[in-house]
Amino acid sequence: MSATLLLTAEEAAAQLRIARSRIFELMQDGTILSVKIGASRRIPYTALADYVARLEADARSATA
């Protein structure tokens, strides 16, 4: 687990190794939870772990 609790879109994209624009799409459609702090939007580290867990569950059910 990361010591950083909240990540920027750029940091989250780097963690998932996807494009920053894709992170914004996932935040906009509610797939990845984000929080607003002032004018900034941040992604809880746990939201990334939850997202990956959902992807894994979907992959398992698709092969079952």
Side-chain angles (χ1 to χ4, degrees):
M1 177 143 170
S2 173
T4 304
L5 295 177
L6 296 173
L7 304 169
T8 64
E10 292 80 8
E11 292 167 336
Q15 288 287 316
L16 295 177
R17 298 199 179 22
I18 62 176
R20 186 177 82 100
S21 59
R22 182 71 179 129
I23 287 289
F24 283 111
E25 290 171 8
L26 293 170
M27 287 190 309
Q28 186 173 18
D29 68 17
T31 302
I32 290 182
L33 174 75
S34 64
V35 296
K36 193 164 183 170
I37 301 174
S40 300
R41 182 133 318 254
R42 295 290 183 260
I43 302 163
Y45 188 83
T46 55
L48 295 186
D50 292 344
Y51 174 64
V52 172
R54 285 193 311 273
L55 291 175
E56 290 173 342
D58 290 348
R60 282 190 199 99
S61 66
T63 60

